Amino acid sequence: MAPPLDLESQLNSEQLPAVTHGDGPQLVLAGAGSGKTRVITYRVAWLVREQKVDPGDIVAVTFTNKAATEMRERVEKLLELYPLPTFVGTFHRYALRLLRRYGERVGVQPGFAIFDRADQLSLVKKALAEEGLAESAYEPRKMLAAIGRAKNSLLDPEMYESQASGFYEQKVAQVYRRYQGKLVQASGVDFDDMLRLAVKLLSSEETLRHRVRERTRYLLVDEFQDTNHAQMRLVSELAGKKGNLTAVGDEDQGIYRWRGADLDNVLDFESAFPGAVVRKLERNYRSTQNILSAAGAVVEHNERRRAKRLWTDAGDGEAVQLYRARDDQDEARWVVNTLQSMRPDTPWSEMAILVRTNAQTRAFEEELVRQQVPYELVGGVRFYERAEIKDLVAYLRIIHNPRDNFSFLRILNRPPRGIGKATRELLEKRADEFGHCLWESLVHAEPSSFPPRSAKALAGFRKLLEELQNARKELPLPALLDRLLEKTSYADLYRQDDSESKAKLENIQEFLTAAQEFTEQTSWTGEEDLLTAFLDHVSLVGDIDSWQPDRGVSLMTLHSAKGLEFETVIVAGLEEGLLPHFNSSDEREDIEEERRLLYVGMTRAESKLLLACCRRRRIAGRYQDQLESPFLAEIPQDLLEISESPDLFYDQRTSGAYAFFGRRTPAAAEVEDGAPGGLRRGGRVRHASLGEGVILDLEGEGEGAKITVFFDRVGKRKLVAKYASLELL
């Protein structure tokens, strides 16, 4: 029997009321490192142990499999209840569970396949081609993003088309309609469909909604600031306006607006759920006070936030280091040298290099390799997105659901079996004529319809799939995979003596291991259809779920670092155009999100936080001068320990001081010759309508001088001194 919950000793004074909250909605504003996972897990345990709630009547949702696994394991340990009947998983996994059970009510075929991003892009490209639209004019990724936004707004193709305004939106509507038709034809759903259709199911089926709500007496939602419109609607359908909802989030860590996350879900929580209680968790258990103060000073410049200030009793700790590099190579060299200097006191796995874009990782990878420092690149090609693994998954998908046209085409001639483009097009034409899927077209095809060689190859392919479909009824999942590899001779493609082929063979072996482990891990669930469950698992695994920190220094983007923590963190590339990114330089909401992104990166650090920026950076093969990120001007100087490259740009105009764009060493931060009103680069100013900001550059002299200012709310603006009316701060 599990020991009693000793809440008084396990929770602080802010966490305890959140855990023991009674009925009705509550919003827990959990600052970085304040123990939000602890609140959620202890609340589930308290509901079950102290309130005698059936664990099956509790649903906890979050955004990554990694976070869900951690939550589940903690609750199981607290309750000593294995396996835990409570649903703990991602939004998509919960939506998938609904659709697997009730999807036919909203037109989803049983055994539907889940299309990943690569599959979706292929469908978009086909849709563009069939609509006669060139990819050069209608970039497929942007088109797919527009379709995703429509689905997150719960708009089906007809609804989107009815409100499309402007030429581009009308083209999106055409492609969306064609894309969705192909998705349905392939008996598939994409990730955005899962949420859209789950909401449609619950909102249109009153009896089912009532039944599901009865089995969701208590709903807990993690990372609430990352919810989009569809997820918010799903929460509302499950909980109702006055349901027992505990939403845990932090608007200061909202960094996914670009994929539909709506910060208003946190900021307007009380309007959506009348009578809701709002609580704050401000005590931080991760970082030193200097790190918290520096990060807090940055994010406090945002207007769209609820005021809170993180504190810790861990002490001030070391100052935040800032290094001004000559260029990106110097930056990478300094970063790796600094990490080397921290060994052996700090293990590699407790160090992380964070950047704004994937393109920035190259210089760091090269330097890490040169200095023989082990590292793990997070956010590269996912294991399940590698070509050889996608081929095997496609075989499993077609065994599971023969109507999956997309998988059918992928494996039709893989490995090569003499089925060329002309034969494939003829199969597709026959399928369109008779309204069949490709498998049915193959089954009903007359051999005389094809050249003799093609007819023989198609007959062999049909026989192969039929044998594998029969084998599925008899064999467990790992044995089915073995049979698949044997019958297709797929692994023979890579039995060559080169490193790439060997790596692919190793990946195939790892896939077999994954199937075996999944079978063992789910043996206790009573899962009747392991193949369906395994395919769902493969589709829902994210980048961060395969992260293996023990391999060395973690190198990743700031977005990928969300939810992680390291003893030492280096945030590199702190330059205007990178952070804030050049795509986010004009809109206040974009600027605030970029500021939150830096805040997230800074608060990943436990004891050491280092920042780096470059005076110039090589872009497209040519050096480009860089401006220092204006966010650095928002960090109090007394929290920073600044060092510079000995070869940093030398500027004669500064009387021998090293000039750095937008920020200067104290010797150079004096009033510049000819500058109006005592203005200087790096100085903070206030404008009557644009608010506060930092001066990036000054051009000319006197009243005609042009002043470039980065304003906290609206980004970069160029003003004429005579009309600017700037107030020095």
Side-chain angles (χ1 to χ4, degrees):
M1 184 174 177
L5 294 174
D6 184 7
L7 299 182
E8 297 289 343
S9 65
Q10 297 297 318
L11 304 170
N12 67 32
S13 60
E14 295 174 338
Q15 296 168 340
L16 184 60
V19 166
T20 58
H21 172 76
D23 290 347
Q26 71 163 332
L27 173 65
V28 181
L29 296 170
S34 63
K36 66 180 178 64
T37 304
R38 193 174 194 82
V39 166
I40 294 173
T41 55
Y42 268 84
R43 177 156 176 76
V44 174
W46 178 79
L47 287 170
V48 173
R49 181 73 56 74
E50 306 299 333
Q51 303 301 297
K52 309 305 179 187
V53 176
D54 183 337
D57 291 348
I58 302 172
V59 171
V61 290
T62 185
F63 279 81
T64 67
N65 292 308
K66 179 177 180 294
T69 299
E70 180 184 357
M71 279 186 202
R72 172 177 290 277
E73 290 174 348
R74 288 197 193 183
V75 176
E76 286 176 338
K77 186 175 180 180
L78 283 171
L79 293 176
E80 292 188 2
L81 185 59
Y82 307 94
L84 181 70
T86 300
F87 175 88
V88 183
T90 63
F91 273 98
H92 287 96
R93 190 172 292 279
Y94 185 82
L96 177 61
R97 186 173 74 162
L98 286 176
L99 295 178
R100 286 290 182 210
R101 293 179 182 177
Y102 311 110
E104 287 182 276
R105 302 189 187 192
V106 286
V108 178
Q109 298 206 14
F112 61 84
I114 301 170
F115 277 41
D116 64 19
R117 185 166 178 79
D119 299 337
Q120 292 173 259
L121 274 173
S122 295
L123 280 188
V124 166
K125 290 176 181 179
K126 286 176 183 282
L128 283 168
E130 292 181 11
E131 290 292 330
L133 301 175
E135 291 184 23
S136 57
Y138 301 93
E139 207 279 312
R141 292 181 186 276
K142 291 183 179 178
M143 191 66 68
L144 181 58
I147 293 171
R149 287 192 295 271
K151 292 187 176 186
N152 286 331
S153 298
L154 303 178
L155 301 175
D156 62 23
E158 292 73 25
M159 295 166 67
Y160 183 84
E161 188 170 21
S162 69
Q163 64 180 51
S165 61
F167 183 79
Y168 187 78
E169 281 192 9
Q170 290 169 3
K171 294 302 179 185
V172 172
Q174 290 177 231
V175 175
Y176 183 10
R177 184 180 62 251
R178 179 83 65 169
Y179 166 89
Q180 196 66 20
K182 288 187 166 299
L183 199 58
V184 172
Q185 186 182 37
S187 189
V189 300
D190 59 26
F191 275 74
D192 297 316
D193 271 334
M194 286 190 212
L195 299 174
R196 180 178 67 87
L197 292 171
V199 171
K200 182 179 179 180
L201 178 66
L202 293 178
S203 61
S204 62
E205 296 276 343
E206 185 177 352
T207 301
L208 176 61
R209 180 174 68 247
H210 179 70
R211 188 191 315 162
V212 171
R213 279 187 182 177
E214 282 189 330
R215 294 294 291 167
T216 315
R217 284 184 58 200
Y218 290 88
L219 175 63
L220 298 92
V221 183
D222 188 21
E223 304 288 7
F224 198 70
Q225 76 282 346
D226 293 335
T227 52
N228 59 28
H229 176 68
Q231 288 158 336
M232 183 64 167
R233 276 289 308 277
L234 183 58
V235 168
S236 298
E237 295 295 342
L238 290 172
K241 285 186 175 295
K242 297 185 178 181
N244 300 323
L245 167 65
T246 293
V248 183
D250 178 12
E251 78 285 1
D252 287 338
Q253 296 185 72
I255 58 174
Y256 294 115
R257 179 172 171 265
W258 52 275
R259 69 182 189 194
D262 189 350
L263 217 59
D264 287 339
N265 293 343
V266 170
L267 299 177
D268 298 336
F269 188 84
E270 297 94 320
S271 297
F273 302 98
V277 176
V278 178
R279 296 185 167 92
K280 296 181 181 180
L281 305 183
E282 296 177 300
R283 181 178 181 180
N284 179 280
Y285 290 92
R286 177 188 301 151
S287 308
T288 63
Q289 190 60 56
N290 280 340
I291 293 172
L292 296 178
S293 297
V298 172
V299 81
E300 283 173 4
H301 285 78
N302 281 355
E303 291 184 0
R304 284 170 50 79
R305 66 187 296 264
R306 294 176 183 251
K308 58 182 174 297
R309 187 179 295 273
L310 297 184
W311 63 276
T312 181
D313 56 10
D316 290 342
E318 299 180 14
V320 177
Q321 292 189 44
L322 169 62
Y323 179 72
R324 292 167 173 160
R326 181 187 68 249
D327 53 31
D328 42 345
Q329 290 182 319
D330 178 42
E331 178 187 50
R333 191 160 44 247
W334 177 83
V335 165
V336 180
N337 286 342
T338 300
L339 296 180
Q340 289 272 33
S341 71
M342 296 177 182
R343 293 279 291 169
D345 296 334
T346 306
W348 295 126
S349 60
E350 284 295 328
M351 303 177 184
I353 305 169
L354 310 182
V355 293
R356 175 63 177 84
T357 68
N358 283 309
Q360 293 170 256
T361 65
R362 182 195 59 81
F364 295 106
E365 286 194 80
E366 291 180 357
E367 189 63 26
L368 288 163
V369 169
R370 192 184 70 78
Q371 296 199 33
Q372 298 182 330
V373 174
Y375 72 97
E376 168 82 347
L377 178 63
V378 180
V381 179
R382 285 176 50 209
F383 177 78
Y384 291 112
E385 288 181 354
R386 293 166 184 167
E388 62 276 14
I389 303 304
K390 285 182 70 69
D391 287 345
L392 296 179
V393 169
Y395 269 104
L396 292 179
R397 278 167 53 165
I398 206 69
I399 292 169
H400 170 62
N401 176 17
R403 296 186 58 83
D404 185 347
N405 287 348
F406 195 80
S407 295
F408 183 97
L409 289 175
R410 185 177 183 94
I411 63 173
L412 181 61
N413 198 43
R414 190 74 177 161
R417 50 178 59 93
I419 302 175
K421 179 181 178 182
T423 302
R424 186 192 72 224
E425 290 177 347
L426 185 55
L427 263 179
E428 290 183 282
K429 182 180 178 183
R430 288 178 60 86
D432 289 339
E433 287 176 356
F434 294 100
H436 292 157
C437 66
L438 290 170
W439 168 249
E440 290 169 336
S441 181
L442 174 62
V443 169
H444 297 299
E446 293 290 336
S448 58
S449 303
F450 302 94
R453 185 181 174 201
S454 296
K456 182 179 179 181
L458 287 172
F461 181 60
R462 173 183 171 182
K463 181 181 178 183
L464 166 69
L465 292 186
E466 288 173 339
E467 288 178 355
L468 292 173
Q469 287 163 359
N470 289 329
R472 178 197 177 179
K473 303 172 186 176
E474 306 169 359
L475 300 176
L477 176 61
L480 176 62
L481 261 175
D482 284 333
R483 180 72 60 85
L484 189 162
L485 289 168
E486 173 195 342
K487 289 291 185 181
T488 61
S489 301
Y490 182 84
D492 292 345
L493 286 171
Y494 306 112
R495 299 198 190 283
Q496 291 140 40
D497 193 22
D498 62 83
S499 58
E500 184 177 352
S501 295
K502 289 177 180 177
K504 290 181 180 295
L505 281 175
E506 289 175 359
N507 289 337
I508 292 170
Q509 293 299 318
E510 184 62 26
F511 187 61
L512 291 171
T513 299
Q516 181 64 46
E517 289 179 351
F518 182 83
T519 302
E520 293 170 356
Q521 290 168 3
T522 55
S523 60
W524 47 264
T525 64
E527 180 67 57
E528 294 181 3
D529 190 351
L530 263 182
L531 179 55
T532 301
F534 181 64
L535 289 172
D536 289 347
H537 166 75
V538 167
S539 298
L540 295 176
V541 172
D543 291 343
I544 202 66
D545 300 316
S546 58
W547 172 57
Q548 299 183 44
D550 291 342
R551 290 184 176 178
V553 174
S554 293
L555 175 58
M556 66 182 78
T557 65
L558 289 158
H559 283 100
S560 297
K562 177 81 175 299
L564 305 179
E565 57 186 43
F566 305 89
E567 185 175 327
T568 298
V569 167
I570 299 180
V571 183
L574 286 171
E575 300 134 40
E576 188 180 346
L578 284 177
L579 193 66
H581 196 266
F582 66 85
N583 286 336
S584 309
S585 59
D586 294 326
E587 298 295 330
R588 185 199 71 181
E589 290 187 346
D590 288 344
I591 294 299
E592 292 202 352
E593 176 132 335
E594 292 291 298
R595 193 178 275 117
R596 291 193 295 269
L597 191 56
L598 176 56
Y599 172 81
V600 165
M602 295 171 75
T603 54
R604 299 310 93 198
E606 295 174 357
S607 60
K608 293 183 178 67
L609 173 62
L610 303 95
L611 311 173
C613 50
C614 298
R615 184 190 65 78
R616 62 178 188 167
R617 184 174 293 274
R618 198 186 293 270
I619 298 174
R622 302 180 64 181
Y623 277 114
Q624 177 175 303
D625 288 339
Q626 297 292 95
L627 295 173
E628 183 175 325
S629 171
F631 296 155
L632 288 174
E634 298 170 354
I635 302 175
Q637 290 286 312
D638 60 349
L639 297 177
L640 290 173
E641 184 179 289
I642 302 174
S643 59
E644 297 177 341
S645 166
D647 299 323
L648 195 66
F649 183 75
Y650 186 86
D651 191 338
Q652 295 288 351
R653 293 174 301 171
T654 61
S655 302
Y658 286 109
F660 195 77
F661 303 72
R663 289 284 293 279
R664 304 261 176 143
T665 58
E670 298 173 358
V671 178
E672 301 190 16
D673 292 340
L679 301 178
R680 66 181 186 280
R681 292 182 178 90
R684 287 197 64 80
V685 292
R686 180 185 291 116
H687 186 276
S689 60
L690 300 176
E692 295 185 9
V694 61
I695 297 176
L696 298 178
D697 200 12
L698 292 162
E699 303 172 45
E701 299 179 1
E703 292 186 338
K706 295 179 180 179
I707 310 165
T708 303
V709 182
F710 184 93
F711 291 99
D712 299 340
R713 292 188 292 107
V714 299
K716 187 168 63 175
R717 294 288 188 272
K718 183 172 283 191
L719 310 171
V720 177
K722 181 178 180 180
Y723 307 107
S725 300
L726 295 174
E727 175 190 352
L728 279 170
L729 298 178

